[in-house]
Every structure is written in structure tokens, then in C-alpha cells.
Amino acid sequence: MNQATTLKLAGTTALITAAFAAPAHAAGSVTLYGLVDVGYQYQKFKGQDSTSGLTSGGQAASRWGLRGSEDLGNGLQANFTLENGFDITRGTASQNGRLFGRLAWAGLSGGWGELRLGRQTLAATDYTGAFSPFGTSFQLASGGQSINSNTTPRADSTVKYVSPTMSGLQATLSYSFNANLAQNSDGGGVAPSSRSDRVFSAAAHYKAAKWQLIGYYQGASLGRETSSGGSHADVSPREYGIGGSVELGVFTLHGGFAQHKDAYINGVASGNTGQTALFKGGKVNGYTLGVAVPVGTGTLLASFQLSDPNDSVVRSGQQAENQKVYSVGYTYPFSKRTNAYAYVSYLDGAWFDNAGTGVAADDWNATHFAVGLRHLF
């Protein structure tokens, strides 16, 4: 091949590259990202046979997503996120089979903050992972056993505003017109009606060099009539809390308090953690305290959680007692994107029979152990 031919081919390649690059630039940027988490788990609930085997999401739920943005000029930007959750051991979709059950929103951002419209997490959930060294992950070890907003609840038809950070302070507000369209509508996605479950959530986050503080409130107006599971059509579940973390030398301490009204948090029900039941007049105080400390190349995690209900939380004729969760774990990074983990949690106390097993109230316990591998891409 002579020099002229080489130059001609190089020029043609450059033109083709430019032709494809131009519309890509006009369309903005799109990023494919995700997380795969697979491992082994062992579970033993009192009064039931133990179970063990491969599990998906021992540390964090497996997922993949698309994240995109476009510069609209004058400081304005269009954004979207579509995120699918899946079970890597079976190859099936999570969130009741939704295509983008974890996140599906679009919006605008600028110097004034960001506005997001669609299915997304509630405002409080974006911050309360700081209440526990296990964050919103690690299943039974998650801080969601005592702080419900820490269980990453999501809502359909949600409007969320995220303020810019000013002197370390940021605020977020969210409102769902219909928290679960698939269940609350006759047509599976119609406009909100009087039966809609509407959810409001607000949170403020202050972050300094070595500490952070979060305060939040959220409440729901339930439109659906239900009598199952101790629920009542006239309950108004609501929750407020405060907590955060602080670095003390090599230690990072985490802690939080929350009070839930017209509700109670079940620690575990046939493997599902952090579930909430509704009880008229029910009130529960939730506490979490934990620590993260470097050990070798990895990090040691430990936490204690307590849920303290009032006398109105009764099921199957039994008064709910205190529920305690003790957890310890360790994460080891192979690289910035891949880590191994192992943890064990022990739950002692109140639990309600959501699975028809005949087990209820305070004479109950559960043990959960998991070891696995998490990879980010």
C-alpha cells in the first residue's frame, strides 16, 4: 500500500469517525453501569429448618442501568436514569418483574438544583445509609431493621427536588402521587385516583470534613382499603429520624434514631428484611449504633439495632416485644471495583408471622450468614 493510499484511507476514516461522533455529541452522553453480587448464604429461623445455597445480592442487590445527560446550554442539563434489578442466580428481574424497577426517571438540573420525575427512591432514603456502617445493604445487617427509610423504598409517579449543596448543606423533597401504580390502579398505570397511596418525604443533610448529620420526615396517605396483616384503612403511617456518622481517628461511628407511627417494622419474614406492617395507634422507636474500622487491607463492620414498640402493636393476640439485631462483617477489596465480603447477623425478639408458619412475637430468633463477591462495572 503506497503513501497516497494510506493518507486517503486515513482521511476517509477520520470523516466516518466525525460523522458518527457528531450525532453522538448532539445526543449527549449515555453510560452503561451496574453491579453483580453473588455468594453463599445460610439462614435459620426458629421453628423452621435451616436453608442454604447460592444467593444474589448478599451485600448489595445486583443491577444494571443506563445513565444519560445532555447539555442544553445556559447552565441547564437534561438527565435520565433507567435501572433494572435482577437475581443473578436465576437470571430473573427483581421488583416484581419490572423492567426498570429500581429507577426510571427523567429531569432537569442547573445551578438551582435538580428536578426528577418518575419511579425513584424517597428523599430520606438518599441519606439514611449513613446511620449504619452496613448502610442500606447486607440484608439483615442493614440499618433498615430499625430505621425504615433505610430499606431503600421506591415509589412510582414521584416528583423529587434535590437542592444544590450550600456550605455543606443539601435538602431533598419528594412526593409520590401514586406509590404503586401496578397495585393501586385498575388499568396498571392509569392516573392517580382516590385509592392512590400518596407519600411525602423530606430530608436535610449537612456534611463537614469528618462528620455528617441527617434529619428527615416522611408520611403516607393510604387510599387502598385493606384488612390483611393487621392493617387498617384509616392509618396514616409516618416517620421521622435523625442520625449520621463521625470519624474518630481510624474509627467511623454511625448512629441514628427514628420514630414510626401507625406502623411497625418486621425484622425478617421468610428472607425478606425490613418489611413494614401497619397498626392503628402503633408506635415504635428505632435505634441503630455501629462502627467501621480498617483491619488489614479491608474493613471490619459491626452494629447493634433495637426496635421498641408500644402496646398497640399486637398480632395473633400477642404483644410485640423489643427486637434486637446484632451484626458483624468484613469487606476485602481486590480492586476499586471488586470486593469479597462475609457477615453474620442474629435477630432476637419480636417478629410477626407473614408466612403462615405460626411463629409470632417475642419467643423467636433468626440467624443469617453470607459470604460472597461483589463486582462493579
Side-chain angles (χ1 to χ4, degrees):
M1 184 179 296
N2 60 38
Q3 185 177 9
T5 304
T6 302
L7 290 174
K8 185 176 181 180
L9 287 175
T12 303
T13 302
L15 288 173
I16 293 173
T17 302
F20 279 98
H25 176 73
S29 63
V30 177
T31 301
L32 172 67
Y33 68 94
L35 179 159
V36 288
D37 183 323
V38 64
Y40 167 86
Q41 76 171 12
Y42 166 89
Q43 292 185 116
K44 179 67 173 71
F45 306 146
K46 183 174 180 178
Q48 303 178 36
D49 293 334
S50 63
T51 60
S52 63
L54 291 183
T55 184
S56 178
Q59 176 178 343
S62 296
R63 70 201 69 166
W64 69 271
L66 297 171
R67 184 185 296 119
S69 64
E70 180 187 8
D71 187 354
L72 303 177
N74 299 317
L76 189 65
Q77 184 168 286
N79 311 295
F80 76 88
T81 296
L82 303 172
E83 188 172 288
N84 167 273
F86 64 92
D87 184 325
I88 193 172
T89 64
R90 297 183 294 168
T92 55
S94 305
Q95 288 80 45
N96 296 318
R98 298 171 188 254
L99 177 59
F100 296 113
R102 291 184 59 85
L103 294 171
W105 61 263
L108 297 171
S109 64
W112 44 269
E114 184 171 10
L115 183 67
R116 302 173 181 176
L117 309 175
R119 177 172 169 82
Q120 52 196 306
T121 55
L122 303 180
T125 301
D126 294 339
Y127 303 113
T128 51
F131 287 19
S132 168
F134 291 97
T136 60
S137 306
F138 295 94
Q139 299 192 38
L140 188 56
S142 162
Q145 307 318 312
S146 58
I147 311 295
N148 187 47
S149 62
N150 209 351
T151 60
T152 59
R154 299 170 180 83
D156 296 345
S157 190
T158 297
V159 178
K160 179 189 283 186
Y161 169 72
V162 183
S163 80
T165 300
M166 297 173 288
S167 300
L169 181 65
Q170 185 178 53
T172 302
L173 302 172
S174 67
Y175 182 82
S176 172
F177 292 93
N178 198 335
N180 197 330
L181 281 167
Q183 293 183 10
N184 299 345
S185 63
D186 293 324
V190 298
S193 68
S194 60
R195 297 193 302 140
S196 303
D197 292 348
R198 301 171 184 264
V199 181
F200 171 75
S201 182
H205 176 218
Y206 180 79
K207 185 172 179 58
K210 292 185 177 296
W211 61 276
Q212 58 182 320
L213 183 66
I214 297 103
Y216 73 92
Y217 170 85
Q218 58 189 28
S221 174
L222 304 183
R224 291 172 295 146
E225 295 185 2
T226 177
S227 59
S228 63
S231 303
H232 302 274
D234 58 346
V235 296
S236 298
R238 51 207 183 278
E239 171 188 356
Y240 68 87
I242 187 170
S245 66
V246 58
E247 296 179 23
L248 299 174
V250 297
F251 294 87
T252 301
L253 295 179
H254 300 258
F257 165 81
Q259 184 174 94
H260 317 269
K261 296 182 178 180
D262 275 6
Y264 182 73
I265 299 177
N266 297 304
V268 60
S270 294
N272 297 319
T273 61
Q275 304 301 303
T276 303
L278 305 178
F279 291 89
K280 181 65 175 177
K283 183 177 73 174
V284 59
N285 291 331
Y287 308 85
T288 180
L289 181 65
V291 62
V293 57
V295 175
T297 307
T299 304
L300 179 67
L301 311 171
S303 73
F304 168 74
Q305 298 180 70
L306 170 66
S307 295
D308 184 18
N310 67 354
D311 293 341
S312 296
V313 183
V314 178
R315 196 166 188 177
S316 301
Q318 290 187 279
Q319 164 66 40
E321 302 293 337
N322 288 343
Q323 173 180 280
K324 305 176 185 68
V325 182
Y326 308 85
S327 302
V328 62
Y330 184 75
T331 63
Y332 179 85
F334 290 110
S335 69
K336 291 184 178 180
R337 296 188 297 141
T338 303
N339 73 278
Y341 61 85
Y343 65 94
V344 61
S345 295
Y346 178 77
L347 183 148
D348 178 32
W351 174 74
F352 292 110
D353 180 13
N354 287 348
T357 60
V359 183
D362 61 329
D363 185 22
W364 194 80
N365 58 66
T367 301
H368 179 90
F369 167 77
V371 58
L373 186 71
R374 185 190 69 154
H375 173 73
L376 306 174
F377 63 89

